[in-house]
Amino acid sequence: MPLAQDRPYQIRTASSSDVLVRATFLHLFDESVVWLTSRGLSSQWGSEPLKNDPVHIKKVEKIIEQCTVLLATPVKTEVSSSGPAVLGICLFSSSHRSHPKVIPPASEPEYYIQLLLTSRSSPSTKGLGSAFVTEVDRIARERGIGLIRLDCYAGGEKGEEGLVRVYERMGFQKAGGLLNYYESGWLGQVMERKVDVRRG
């Protein structure tokens, strides 16, 4: 991963009430749905745009309100009529928000990454997912939080565990077995990463 000063993006904390946060989430989520569907992986998030699902949007807005928000913007920002481009978004909080009845509670204080999305259309996002995790790790160390968790899709129409492997490369380990979120075969895997609070 490139050093912070060499990256084509910068990560900043944003207010959950910032209208850019909601717009970024919807844009990047729907961009990912198109990307996944084009590769035969629609079982992860379906094939329909989130912007057409007002019920789901309300659920997402509630989660955003409860989270710390990180946004990644280009170092050389190009401002258009719709505002500056955003390359990625990361939401994390002190506990899991979207599926509390499914995700087992942590045995210690934690930060739970609720969502991590990066643009599929920009070449500038290479390494951005890892950079988001590193930033959450930094904040956790400063605040004496020793655990970071997240959950990711672990199924797939092609039987892939791509996301699990991606997060393992970022230092996460599987925590427990697969979870069936909706009793419909949608399988998720909780991942955890220890934080060295002695470096804080």
Side-chain angles (χ1 to χ4, degrees):
M1 187 175 67
L3 297 176
Q5 64 268 25
D6 299 324
R7 298 171 187 160
Y9 50 80
Q10 54 194 354
I11 295 175
R12 65 176 178 86
T13 303
S15 169
S16 59
S17 61
D18 189 334
V19 293
L20 185 61
V21 171
R22 181 181 184 277
T24 296
F25 177 90
L26 291 175
H27 172 72
L28 293 180
F29 187 96
D30 287 350
E31 187 179 81
S32 294
V33 166
V34 172
W35 186 87
L36 289 165
T37 300
S38 70
R39 286 157 177 76
L41 298 171
S42 60
S43 60
Q44 180 170 339
W45 282 340
S47 58
E48 295 298 319
L50 182 64
K51 63 183 179 183
N52 296 339
D53 187 348
V55 174
H56 200 159
I57 288 176
K58 285 188 177 298
K59 292 180 180 179
V60 168
E61 290 175 340
K62 184 176 180 180
I63 293 173
I64 289 175
E65 291 173 357
Q66 300 171 327
C67 288
T68 297
V69 181
L70 300 177
L71 292 181
T73 54
V75 172
K76 297 180 179 180
T77 304
E78 296 180 2
V79 179
S80 66
S81 59
S82 58
V86 179
L87 301 174
I89 184 171
C90 177
L91 308 176
F92 69 95
S93 63
S94 58
S95 62
H96 191 271
R97 302 292 183 183
S98 57
H99 297 283
K101 294 182 180 179
V102 178
I103 305 297
S107 59
E108 62 182 283
E110 67 170 338
Y111 276 149
Y112 202 104
I113 296 177
Q114 310 288 342
L115 179 85
L116 196 164
L117 287 170
T118 61
S119 175
R120 298 291 184 175
S121 60
S122 173
S124 300
T125 57
K126 183 177 181 181
L128 178 52
S130 182
F132 271 136
V133 170
T134 298
E135 180 63 9
V136 175
D137 185 281
R138 182 190 68 78
I139 296 171
R141 278 189 284 109
E142 287 184 350
R143 299 176 182 177
I145 304 295
L147 179 67
I148 298 173
R149 292 199 302 164
L150 56 79
D151 59 278
C152 63
Y153 184 60
E157 293 166 354
K158 298 181 179 180
E160 299 179 4
E161 285 189 341
L163 280 176
V164 172
R165 291 194 294 271
V166 166
Y167 287 118
E168 285 177 336
R169 289 196 292 271
M170 294 183 192
F172 286 86
Q173 297 180 334
K174 293 179 181 179
L178 295 175
L179 300 174
N180 188 343
Y181 280 57
Y182 308 106
E183 298 182 356
S184 62
W186 199 101
L187 298 177
Q189 175 66 59
V190 176
M191 311 288 290
E192 65 178 23
R193 165 176 158 152
K194 295 294 185 179
V195 177
D196 186 0
V197 294
R198 295 171 298 178
R199 293 173 53 209

